[in-house]
């Protein structure tokens, strides 16, 4: 069932971004306990260190090339179904892909964990069946928009980003919208799936009137509003 409102996407790859170091340590700790089959400890850590929008449970390993979340680890090691259910009930995204494009369900199939496949299969009834090609194009337009928006800033070099796959906004257990913080903007992008399109607003802090709102369709990104300040949502 759907239970999450707004999620935070920590999409910076660079180790130099110190704001992420606290998260890196906690994600590694979760993975180590998961690999050891210590699922009660995993749930204890998640519940003790709960963060709004599923920040910890959907954070990915920046220190490993796989970029796995704890749900990817659970799928790969063949965690008990109760453990997977515990992760899902805490807001783990089933449609988030690793660096090789694999979702947790793909890892379960690859490793012969067939008992987990039905649990891990992403479901999209809330928004209707996702048109993968349409959303692939919208992902590309969103990425281009973000890169164009931050290219106007003086800071150089820019940090390296891992862009959000908007598919996570469509799955039944996914968030209604996501906040993508861009360090050099000192702001970022609020991203929401609405009626087969992506509605996104962005700000550069502390610039007054820096707000821009775009509607992204498979055809491109259209600027529909600009000049506003930070909105209270």
């Amino acid at each position: 069932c759907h239970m999450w409102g707004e999620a935070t996407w920590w999409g910076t790859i660079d180790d130099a971004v110190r704001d992420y170091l606290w998260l890196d340590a906690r994600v590694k700790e979760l993975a180590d306990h998961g690999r050891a089959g210590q699922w009660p400890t995993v749930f204890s850590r998640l519940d003790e260190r709960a963060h709004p929008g599923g920040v910890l449970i959907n954070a990915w390993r920046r220190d490993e090339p796989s970029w796995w979340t704890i749900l990817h680890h659970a799928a790969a090691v063949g965690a008990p179904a109760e453990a997977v259910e515990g992760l899902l009930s805490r807001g783990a995204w089933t449609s988030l892909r690793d660096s090789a494009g694999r979702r947790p369900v793909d890892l379960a199939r690859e490793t012969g964990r067939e008992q987990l496949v039905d649990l891990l299969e992403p479901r999209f009834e809330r928004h209707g069946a996702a048109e993968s090609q349409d959303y692939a194009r919208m992902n590309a337009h969103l990425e281009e928009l973000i890169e164009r928006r931050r290219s106007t800033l003086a800071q150089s070099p820019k940090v390296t980003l891992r862009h959000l796959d908007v598919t996570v906004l469509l799955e039944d257990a996914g968030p209604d919208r996501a906040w993508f913080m861009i360090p050099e903007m000192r702001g970022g992008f609020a991203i929401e799936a609405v009626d087969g399109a992506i509605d996104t607003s962005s700000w550069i802090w502390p610039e007054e009137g820096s707000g821009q709102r775009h509607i992204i369709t498979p055809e491109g990104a259209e600027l529909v509003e600009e000049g506003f300040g930070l909105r209270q949502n």
Side-chain angles (χ1 to χ4, degrees):
C1 64
H2 174 62
M3 65 183 73
W4 307 106
E6 181 170 315
T8 299
W9 176 246
W10 293 72
T12 299
I13 296 173
D14 302 27
D15 290 338
V17 181
R18 298 192 59 82
D19 288 349
Y20 287 19
L21 298 184
W22 65 269
L23 186 61
D24 291 340
R26 286 158 175 75
V27 173
K28 183 180 185 302
E29 181 186 31
L30 286 185
D32 290 343
H33 287 306
R35 285 169 173 162
Q38 299 166 343
W39 295 105
T41 304
V42 168
F43 298 138
S44 175
R45 296 293 185 270
L46 286 169
D47 295 341
E48 289 170 4
R49 296 165 178 167
H51 297 279
V55 166
L56 180 55
I57 197 167
N58 292 306
W60 41 282
R61 294 290 301 270
R62 297 195 311 152
D63 63 331
E64 289 189 352
S66 66
W67 294 351
W68 283 4
T69 65
I70 187 59
L71 191 62
H72 285 94
H73 284 289
V77 303
E82 314 86 76
V84 171
E85 289 170 346
L87 295 174
L88 295 176
S89 71
R90 287 167 171 81
W93 300 338
T94 58
S95 58
L96 187 60
R97 297 179 183 271
D98 66 10
S99 60
R102 299 170 300 184
R103 304 162 300 172
V105 70
D106 300 320
L107 293 173
R109 289 194 176 101
E110 287 179 13
T111 56
R113 320 292 187 181
E114 294 299 324
Q115 74 278 12
L116 299 179
V117 167
D118 186 60
L119 276 175
L120 292 171
E121 191 70 53
R123 291 171 172 79
F124 298 99
E125 295 178 7
R126 184 163 61 106
H127 282 276
E131 296 290 339
S132 59
Q133 290 302 314
D134 282 352
Y135 280 94
R137 288 194 290 270
M138 283 191 279
N139 270 325
H141 296 317
L142 176 60
E143 180 175 340
E144 180 183 9
L145 171 63
I146 291 172
E147 294 297 337
R148 184 171 71 245
R149 187 95 156 96
R150 72 188 189 123
S151 71
T152 64
L153 302 173
Q155 179 176 328
S156 183
K158 303 293 190 293
V159 299
T160 304
L161 297 180
R162 178 188 178 188
H163 287 275
L164 175 70
D165 182 345
V166 298
T167 303
V168 302
L169 301 176
L170 305 172
E171 66 168 287
D172 291 354
D176 291 316
R177 61 180 181 172
W179 170 249
F180 188 176
M181 182 182 73
I182 311 294
E184 60 263 27
M185 290 177 70
R186 299 179 69 189
F189 283 74
I191 305 166
E192 184 174 3
V194 179
D195 297 329
I198 299 300
D199 189 330
T200 181
S201 295
S202 57
W203 302 269
I204 300 170
W205 191 86
E207 293 183 17
E208 290 292 334
S210 66
Q212 290 187 356
R213 178 173 170 235
H214 292 79
I215 300 297
I216 299 174
T217 66
E219 286 68 46
E222 179 184 0
L223 178 64
V224 296
E225 186 180 358
E226 63 180 331
F228 51 86
L230 286 171
R231 287 172 169 162
Q232 298 299 318
N233 293 301

